[in-house]
Amino acid sequence: MKGKKLIKVLSAVLASALFLTSCGKAEEASVSSETWISAGSELAEEAVDEQALEEAKKIYLNKDLPVAERVEALLSVMTLEEKAYQCVQGEQDNVSVEDVKRTGIGSVLSGGGSDPVEGNLPEHWQKRVNELKAAALETRLGIPLLYGIDAVHGNNNIYGATVFPHNIGLGAANDPELMEEIAHVVAREVRAIGVQYSFAPCLANPQNERWGRTYEGFSEKTADVVRLAGPFVAALQGNVKGDEYMPEDAIIACAKHFIGEGYTAEGVNQGNVEMSAAEFDELLGMGVVDPYKACIDNNVLTVMPSYNSIDGLKCHENKHLLTDVLKEQLGFKGMVISDYNAIGQCSGTYDEEVANCMNAGVDMFMEAQEWDRCAQTIIKLVKKGEISEERLDDAVSRILRVKFMSNMFDEEVGSAHENELFGEFGSEENREVARRAVRESLVLLKNGNVDGKLAMEKIKEATNITVCGSGAFDIGRQCGGWTISWQGEAGNITLGTPIVQGIYDEVKEYAKVSHSVRGELDAASDVIVTVVGENPYAESAGDVKPSDLKPISGDVKLLETIEEQIAANGNDPLKVLIVIAGRPIDINDYVDKYDAVVMAFLPGTEGEGIADVLFGDYDFTGTLPITWVKDFKKIDEKHELPESEILFPYGFGLNKTGELLVRK
Ligand code: GLC
C-alpha cells in the first residue's frame, strides 16, 4: 500500500515538471518549491518508510535471527492500524479472504462446530484455513494469520478425526506419559489442516459437578492437573524452551480458563466465585494457581481468561489476576487471548470493555463477530490515550513472539509436510493411542461376588452376551460435547467404534453377542452389559440442578425393563453396568442390583477400549479423579460431607482381582 502511494507521489511531481516545460517557459522546468518540499517531505517520508520497511524485512523475515530481534524490527514499522488488527481474532464465518487482505487481521478461529461452508471433511478445512493464511501474506507487512480451534480431545470438530476421552477420563487414567502421546497425535492432526493453535488444555479443577464443564477438567485436585497438563502442554508445543522455534509438528497451546472456574457458586458456568479478592488470593496460594505455573514452566504460549467473576469482578477485566499475578508474579511472557465475546460480559460501554480488558492484560480479543469494531475501538482508544501505546506495543509484541516461535513466518502455506500429516489424519496408529487412553480411563467401581467368583473372573465364562442401551451403539454419546458440533449430539456423528462393536470383535470367537436398545433380553443370555449415562452437552447447556445428575430418562426406562425381563426369564445372568457420562451421576438404585459397575466417562471414538478391559486381557487401572456422593441433593456441600455420605471417594478404583488401586 505504501509502495503504491510512493509511486503516485513521484508521478505527481514529475507530471508537474513536464507540464511546466510543455508551457515553453524559458526557465528550466521546475516545480514550485512548495510542491517539491511537500512532495519531497512526503516523498522523503515515504522513501524512508519504504527503506525502513525493507531494512526491517531483512530482520523480521530472517529465520536465522532470534525471535526478540524479529519482533522488535517488525513492531518498529507497524502502523497503529496494523497493530490494532493484530490484536483481534474473528470467527471464520465472519471473516472473508478480502477482509484479511484489507485489514491484516491477526487471527481467525473456528468456535465449536464452525465448519467451512464447503463441508466438514479434512480437505474442506485445509482449503479454508490455507486460503485465509495465504491472504494474510498479501498484506503490506505479510504478518501470517494465526488460526485457532478447540482441539480439546483430539481435532474433534473435524469428521474422521481421532477423538480421545475427555479430560475427566484422562484424569482417571492419570498417566503423564500417555498425555504426551495424546498431545503428539492431536498436534499432528491439527497441523494436518493448516491450523497452528488449539485452545487447550482446560486446567479447571471442578468442585461441583452441577457445572456443565466438569468433564473438561482433569480432576478436582490441582496436583493432578499439574501432573497431567504440564507434560501435555510441553508435548503439544514440541517441548519448546524460551524463545526457541517450535518443531513443525507442534502447535500452540492455551492454558484455560484463568482462573477459578470450578469454584463458582452452585457450579454455575460463567458464574461468580463468592470469595473476596483476598480470600481468592489465598485459594490461589493453596494450589489453584499451580496448574498455570506448571504450564508456564513448560512455556505455554497463550492463556485464556475465564468468563467467571471473583467477588463480582469478571476475570477478563481483573488487572490483579491478568497482570499482577499471571504476567508479573508467574512471569507469563505469552499472549492473553479473551474468551469468545467474553468482554461483552464486562462492565460499561463497548469502549470501556475494550479499554478495561486490554488495560487489565488482554492482548488479543476473541471478538467473533465484532472483530473489526474491536480493532477500530482500540485505534480510537489509543488515539485518546485511554490505552497507552506501551500497552498496545506490549500486546502486539506478545502476539508476534507467539507467531515467530510457531514458525508462522517461516512455514509455507499448505506445505509438503502438512500434506504428509494430512495423510495420517484419523489413522489406525493414531486411534491406537486413543484406544489405550480409553482402557486406562476406565474405573471399576464394583467387582461383586457371583457364585463364589468375582464378577470380572466370572465374565470370562460368557457364551451369550446381550449388550443393552442406545449408548452402546452411539459414537455421539460416547464422545460427548465438543465433537463435530459445539454441543456434540447422539448418533453416528463421525468415524469410530461403538462400544457394542468393540465387544463383538473381542468375543466373537467364543460368544454370541446381541444388542438391544430397549433391553429386550435373549433368555439364554449369561451376561448382560447395560450402558447408561448422559447425552452430550457443552458449557452452560450442561449446567444442571442436583436432581438432574442421573442417567437420561430413556436409560432409566431401560434399567427398569431389564429388571422386568430378568424376572420374567427367571434366569440370573451376570450383570455389568457401564456409565458413559461427563461426571458422577446418581446410580444408587443400581449399584446393588449389578454385579459389576464401570465408570467409562466420555471415552471418545475408540469404544473398543472398553471391550479390551471388560473381556480382554487388560486390567482396570483407572481411579476416580472426582468425589462421587451418595445423595446428589447434597452436591452443593459435597466437600463438607462426612465419609458416610460418599459413595465412591476421590481416588477409588478396583482391579479385576478386587484389589483397591492406589492412585499415583
Ligand atoms: C468457548 C469456551 C472456550 C473456547 C472458546 C472458543 O466459549 O469458553 O473454552 O475455547 O469459546 O471456542
Side-chain angles (χ1 to χ4, degrees), residues 89 91 109-113 148-152 157 198-200 202 213 216 254 256-257 261 269-270 304-307 338-342 366 482 486 539:
Q89 179 185 66
E91 174 63 70
L109 86 145
S110 278
I149 197 168
D150 291 282
V152 294
N157 259 1
S198 173
F199 307 120
C202 176
R213 305 195 76 166
E216 296 187 58
C254 179
K256 72 181 187 182
H257 307 83
E261 57 190 334
N269 188 46
Q270 306 183 0
M304 185 184 292
S306 185
Y307 283 110
S338 65
D339 202 337
Y340 200 99
N341 299 342
M366 187 189 291
W482 294 102
W486 175 41
E539 302 194 52

Side-chain angles (χ1 to χ4, degrees), residues 339-617:
D339 202 337
Y340 200 99
N341 299 342
I343 69 168
Q345 294 184 12
C346 293
S347 46
T349 64
Y350 189 73
D351 286 14
E352 288 163 339
E353 289 167 342
V354 173
N356 293 343
C357 293
M358 190 157 222
N359 290 330
V362 172
D363 302 308
M364 180 177 277
F365 289 81
M366 187 189 291
E367 283 293 280
Q369 294 73 32
E370 302 279 352
W371 58 271
D372 209 341
R373 178 189 180 193
C374 185
Q376 290 301 321
T377 304
I378 292 170
I379 293 164
K380 177 172 60 173
L381 293 169
V382 169
K383 286 179 176 172
K384 288 169 67 179
E386 291 177 32
I387 293 175
S388 69
E389 290 193 30
E390 292 71 30
R391 175 72 275 269
L392 179 62
D393 284 355
D394 174 53
V396 175
S397 298
R398 289 170 178 267
I399 293 165
L400 295 179
R401 174 173 175 266
V402 171
K403 290 189 171 186
F404 279 114
M405 287 179 65
S406 55
N407 300 302
M408 291 171 59
F409 281 83
D410 311 317
E411 67 172 359
E412 182 197 336
V413 175
S415 68
H417 179 73
E418 179 180 298
N419 288 315
E420 188 186 312
L421 294 177
F422 189 86
E424 65 175 60
F425 193 88
S427 67
E428 270 319 300
E429 185 185 349
N430 291 352
R431 291 179 188 275
E432 277 306 308
V433 178
R435 183 173 181 171
R436 168 190 164 192
V438 173
R439 291 194 294 264
E440 294 189 27
S441 67
L442 304 177
V443 182
L444 182 59
L445 298 174
K446 180 180 179 183
N447 188 7
N449 205 299
V450 182
D451 304 338
K453 288 183 179 178
L454 288 172
M456 288 298 110
E457 186 61 31
K458 182 76 178 171
I459 199 169
K460 292 174 183 169
E461 299 168 12
T463 61
N464 186 324
I465 302 163
T466 302
V467 182
C468 302
S470 69
F473 194 79
D474 191 313
I475 291 287
R477 286 189 65 185
Q478 67 190 55
C479 285
W482 294 102
T483 312
I484 304 300
S485 65
W486 175 41
Q487 292 294 314
E489 63 181 310
N492 192 17
I493 61 171
T494 187
L495 300 177
T497 306
I499 294 169
V500 66
Q501 181 66 52
I503 292 174
Y504 172 76
D505 293 343
E506 178 66 32
V507 307
K508 61 190 175 193
E509 300 304 322
Y510 64 85
K512 176 189 170 198
V513 177
S514 314
H515 176 228
S516 165
V517 172
R518 279 182 294 282
E520 296 92 1
L521 299 183
D522 175 342
S525 297
D526 51 15
V527 172
I528 309 290
V529 177
T530 305
V531 180
V532 300
E534 297 184 299
N535 273 326
Y537 53 82
E539 302 194 52
S540 300
D543 280 7
V544 291
K545 302 189 298 298
S547 57
D548 291 337
L549 285 165
K550 63 186 179 186
I552 60 173
S553 56
D555 287 351
V556 171
K557 179 81 180 89
L558 168 75
L559 288 157
E560 290 163 1
T561 304
I562 289 169
E563 289 307 303
E564 290 157 9
Q565 291 265 317
I566 289 174
N569 292 342
N571 65 348
D572 186 18
L574 174 72
K575 294 191 297 182
V576 179
L577 182 67
I578 297 179
V579 181
I580 47 171
R583 51 196 163 188
I585 55 175
D586 187 350
I587 53 171
N588 282 344
D589 295 345
Y590 317 109
V591 175
D592 293 341
K593 294 174 181 167
Y594 276 76
D595 302 305
V597 179
V598 176
M599 182 52 168
F601 293 106
L602 295 170
T605 50
E606 307 316 303
E608 68 273 38
I610 292 174
D612 288 349
V613 181
L614 207 53
F615 294 96
D617 297 333

